[in-house]
Amino acid sequence: MTSAPSAAPEAAPLQHAHGPGSPVPVQTRSERFASASHADFPPVTGRELEWRLTPVARISDLLDGALDGAPFPATVSPAEGVRVEWVARDDARIGSAGLAEERAAANAWSTTEQALVITLTAEEAVTVTVDRTAPDATPRAAHTIITAAPNARGTVILDHRGPARLTENVEIIAEQGSDLTVVSLQEWDDEAVHLSSHFGRVERDARLKHVVVSLGGAIVRVNPSVHLAGDGADGQLLGLYFADAGQHLEQRVYVHHIAPHTVSRVTYKGALNGEGARTVWVGDVLIGRNATGTDSYEQNRNLVLSDGTRADSIPNLEIETGEIAGAGHASATGRFDDEQLFYLRSRGIDEQEARRLVVLGFLLEVVQKIGDADLEARLLGLLEDELAAVEVV
Amino acid sequence: MSTLEIRDLHVSIETDQGVKPILRGVNLTISSGETHAIMGPNGSGKSTLAYTIAGHPRYTVDSGTITLDGEDVLEMSIDERARAGLFLAMQYPVEIPGVTVSNFLRTAKTAIDGEAPALRSWIKELKGSMEALRMDASFGERNVNEGFSGGEKKRHEIVQLELLKPKIAVLDETDSGLDVDALKIVSEGVNRVKENTGLGVLLITHYTRILRYIQPDFVHVFVDGRVAEEGGPELAERLENEGYDRYLTGSTVG
């Protein structure tokens, strides 16, 4: 393997003319430069719009270095109506939902030797868990494609553990009439670094529920883009994160309403505790000029549990048509609500338990929207562990 | 038999304009089985009294005492007061996202009793109380007060009153925002708890309407941070006819 990225695949449907160095500044979110080739992106300085809130000095191996492009370990739980295969990089499905928009994603794109393709075909809802445990801290690349065939239903949980240094792309396609839930659960070891770009395409009357849960890892940056491409497509984007001391958890969410009568809801909630706990949420919503009758709402809420933390929360809304049903956004970052604590304590619940309930409740509001009882119970357990590890004051 | 005694209570709050005295020497004694109505115009300090008894941090006790069966309530934390047997039904119960009603009620019951309730009898008790207050069983899975109407919030307060079985309860404008049907349901709930547990009630209200359904033994007229007049139920009737005007000769608390 060499540090030079190999040739890009042919399929590049979202490639655009306004590249870096173009005299026209990028105005609209959909016009952001995209390419499968690492060499098309200039070196990252940390001043770029998409990198300025990320500790880029600590991820130079993933931005610029040689990556191991062999298949990233993945153990897929067997289920009826689910096809699992590893395909070569010239497979036509690669690039069908999106294309890398920054250097680390392009580095992964051009290095990955094979893509893991998971296809749900059954109308009977299934749950597939993909255990992705990194064996060591070798910088690696990965490419995953998750597809729900027309009218198929199911949930795919990408479960991440170990000391990874991973940059990857995940393509998600919800075909016509399908109902797909994709969960990316980051339970990485403390020192892990994970940069992940998700590209979702939701077709006519299909529904994609996309969930990002980031709890472990030193630097975790999961950026989901979802294109609501067909009439009546529905995108629910949920996120949950808990940053402890020194952790950097970032998520840049982008919802593109392309077709009419599409609906999106973006709800990300996070808690920060400890010196240097750091979170970033950027939420871009673009309602295209053909996307009449759309309904969108995005919100991010952060609960600050101690001094020494920083949460960035940046909602952006672009609307290119006047004929929409609704569009709104909200962002709030704050400490405990004293009135909530008073209410609980006035019912005999002691202060520590009341704080625990408020934090847990704050985060569980997102968990409750996932709609998978087993996963919800598991996430509750993980959040209880997070809370047990910190003295909430 | 329990007694809540309030003696010469002076309470102030911090405002942008400095410290502002609200209560100016309140004396009250409430015993088990008794219902005391506290009536008064807006700004007379009624809610301040309620929140001071419950221990809300916004209010500073400058002097005076509150005791429950001789124990110093002012020395207790908010949750210790609740565990000692005090309860405040709030005028504006807050929403608690992500905490379901059933989880909240079980956690509170466990805290008050010092042990988790036996599952079967607890479920039965919960179901019975919710039914009696015309709350659908589905409320158990909803988040505390989230999306509840004004009336649902008040009924939820009375469910808590019934399940937590305090010795003395303060009902802070429980009648506000209720239509007549909801007022009857809530009042019946309070009367049922009184009958079953010998609860002592401090009923704070601006209007006499709720007193048709919950009969007071004593009526205290609250003006300018202290009790201006005391009497039996007949005093409420007089207030119904005459209003608070004759008490409002001097300055009032804003």
Side-chain angles (χ1 to χ4, degrees):
Chain A
M1 212 174 73
T2 69
S3 63
S6 30
E10 291 300 317
L14 298 183
Q15 185 142 7
H16 239 276
H18 309 301
S22 155
V24 183
V26 173
Q27 299 284 354
T28 292
R29 181 63 178 81
S30 61
E31 291 177 4
R32 195 171 287 185
F33 178 74
S35 167
S37 174
H38 183 237
D40 286 348
F41 294 89
V44 171
T45 64
R47 292 188 296 273
E48 299 83 355
L49 188 66
E50 66 268 37
W51 290 112
R52 66 185 182 88
L53 300 171
T54 313
V56 293
R58 292 160 61 197
I59 57 169
S60 53
D61 54 338
L62 298 178
L63 286 167
D64 300 317
L67 303 171
D68 182 347
F72 192 87
T75 309
V76 186
S77 64
E80 288 277 325
V82 180
R83 204 164 60 234
V84 181
E85 55 202 310
W86 286 94
V87 302
R89 44 181 301 112
D90 59 356
D91 191 279
R93 286 168 288 188
I94 294 179
S96 61
L99 199 55
E101 291 185 345
E102 36 84 346
R103 192 165 160 102
N107 198 14
W109 200 293
S110 46
T111 312
T112 311
E113 292 159 13
Q114 288 183 300
L116 173 65
V117 179
I118 298 169
T119 310
L120 308 185
T121 57
E123 292 184 23
E124 189 82 11
V126 290
T127 297
V128 182
T129 300
V130 185
D131 178 354
R132 303 177 89 201
T133 300
D136 53 44
T138 305
R140 291 169 202 271
H143 198 115
T144 307
I145 301 175
I146 298 166
T147 303
N151 303 313
R153 294 171 61 204
T155 299
V156 177
I157 302 167
L158 304 172
D159 197 351
H160 301 104
R161 290 192 184 85
R165 295 190 74 85
L166 171 65
T167 173
E168 63 160 350
N169 294 286
V170 178
E171 297 186 68
I172 300 164
I173 301 117
E175 299 282 11
Q176 190 169 324
S178 64
D179 187 350
L180 174 62
T181 299
V182 174
V183 181
S184 185
L185 173 53
Q186 285 66 247
E187 292 184 77
W188 298 115
D189 290 355
D190 288 346
E191 66 276 21
V193 175
H194 182 205
L195 308 178
S196 184
S197 293
H198 288 210
F199 307 95
R201 177 160 56 79
V202 188
E203 294 295 352
R204 188 185 178 95
D205 297 328
R207 189 170 87 127
L208 171 64
K209 190 179 280 189
H210 184 274
V211 187
V212 177
V213 181
S214 293
L215 302 174
I219 301 172
V220 176
R221 186 175 131 125
V222 179
N223 298 346
S225 303
V226 170
H227 301 273
L228 301 172
D231 263 40
D234 182 329
Q236 310 279 325
L237 285 81
L238 303 172
L240 185 66
Y241 45 94
F242 197 122
D244 298 320
Q247 252 188 325
H248 177 99
L249 304 177
E250 179 167 350
Q251 28 266 311
R252 291 169 176 265
V253 184
Y254 169 39
V255 178
H256 186 186
H257 288 262
I258 299 169
H261 308 296
T262 47
V263 177
S264 71
R265 291 287 181 275
V266 178
T267 308
Y268 271 66
K269 294 185 105 172
L272 300 89
N273 184 75
E275 191 65 35
R278 179 88 167 83
T279 65
V280 176
W281 178 85
V282 179
D284 295 334
V285 173
L286 168 61
I287 299 173
R289 71 179 179 281
N290 297 322
T292 53
T294 59
D295 182 6
S296 76
Y297 193 82
E298 59 165 351
Q299 61 170 324
N300 173 228
R301 295 189 193 280
N302 297 298
L303 187 57
V304 175
L305 305 180
S306 77
D307 292 333
T309 69
R310 175 174 164 174
D312 283 272
S313 180
I314 307 167
N316 297 305
L317 179 58
E318 283 180 83
I319 306 178
E320 295 177 339
T321 174
E323 297 168 56
I324 57 168
H329 59 207
S331 162
T333 298
R335 290 192 175 256
F336 275 106
D337 181 337
D338 288 339
E339 295 306 320
Q340 291 180 354
L341 290 179
F342 175 73
Y343 189 76
L344 292 171
R345 294 185 67 196
S346 77
R347 273 38 174 164
I349 299 167
D350 70 39
E351 185 168 8
Q352 185 71 17
E353 173 72 2
R355 286 178 185 273
R356 203 187 64 84
L357 272 180
V358 169
V359 182
L360 207 52
F362 173 82
L363 297 171
L364 281 180
E365 204 187 5
V366 172
V367 175
Q368 288 171 344
K369 292 181 198 287
I370 295 175
D372 179 313
D374 290 345
L375 181 59
E376 288 176 16
R378 201 174 139 210
L379 290 176
L380 174 63
L382 291 174
L383 290 173
E384 297 260 20
D385 292 347
E386 285 277 342
L387 278 174
V390 296
E391 181 79 1
V392 179
V393 289
Chain B
M1 180 74 181
S2 288
T3 302
L4 180 71
E5 275 198 70
I6 300 167
R7 286 289 161 266
D8 196 26
L9 188 68
H10 288 73
V11 174
S12 59
I13 57 164
E14 289 275 353
T15 70
D16 294 341
Q17 288 78 43
V19 174
K20 182 174 169 182
I22 307 283
L23 300 187
R24 303 154 187 266
V26 176
N27 291 292
L28 276 174
T29 303
I30 301 131
S31 294
S32 296
E34 297 175 356
T35 297
H36 295 247
I38 293 211
M39 305 194 60
N42 290 329
S44 58
K46 304 189 299 291
S47 283
T48 295
L49 178 64
Y51 280 88
T52 302
I53 293 170
H56 195 287
R58 182 162 181 246
Y59 302 95
T60 306
V61 176
D62 299 313
S63 63
T65 60
I66 304 178
T67 58
L68 178 64
D69 299 331
E71 298 286 325
D72 186 353
V73 170
L74 295 176
E75 279 299 305
M76 299 178 194
S77 68
I78 303 163
D79 41 289
E80 283 170 345
R81 296 177 195 208
R83 293 197 295 272
L86 296 175
F87 182 89
L88 170 61
M90 298 193 199
Q91 186 179 1
Y92 303 109
V94 297
E95 297 181 3
I96 313 209
V99 178
T100 62
V101 167
S102 61
N103 182 24
F104 163 64
L105 293 175
R106 196 178 56 247
T107 305
K109 182 68 175 170
T110 303
I112 296 278
D113 290 2
E115 60 178 355
L119 196 61
R120 275 181 71 171
S121 59
W122 167 248
I123 288 171
K124 197 175 157 212
E125 203 179 343
L126 177 62
K127 191 164 169 271
S129 180
M130 290 188 43
E131 270 174 18
L133 282 144
R134 316 279 202 284
M135 288 186 80
D136 191 83
S138 65
F139 273 93
E141 294 316 306
R142 288 175 61 179
N143 293 331
V144 173
N145 293 321
E146 205 175 69
F148 286 25
S149 69
E152 286 163 352
K153 285 180 183 171
K154 297 298 174 69
R155 283 184 273 152
H156 180 224
E157 294 292 286
I158 305 306
V159 167
Q160 295 169 51
L161 176 71
E162 182 152 36
L163 294 173
L164 300 181
K165 301 185 171 43
K167 294 170 180 160
I168 306 285
V170 181
L171 311 182
D172 186 18
E173 309 229 2
T174 294
D175 51 338
S176 70
L178 295 183
D179 63 28
V180 173
D181 292 334
L183 184 63
K184 279 185 190 164
I185 293 167
V186 163
S187 301
E188 280 166 18
V190 174
N191 290 332
R192 188 170 57 247
V193 176
K194 276 175 60 181
E195 202 165 299
N196 292 340
T197 69
L199 177 73
V201 175
L202 187 60
L203 183 69
I204 291 175
T205 182
H206 185 88
Y207 302 104
T208 53
R209 191 175 65 144
I210 194 172
L211 303 182
R212 282 180 233 154
Y213 305 102
I214 303 175
Q215 303 291 335
D217 303 301
F218 306 93
V219 175
H220 312 266
V221 183
F222 222 64
V223 179
D224 205 8
R226 60 167 74 89
V227 175
E229 191 172 2
E230 295 176 295
E234 75 287 346
L235 183 54
E237 274 166 45
R238 223 172 84 202
L239 287 170
E240 167 96 55
N241 299 327
E242 298 173 12
Y244 297 110
D245 281 354
R246 70 191 177 89
Y247 299 104
L248 299 176
T249 49
S251 66
T252 57
V253 177

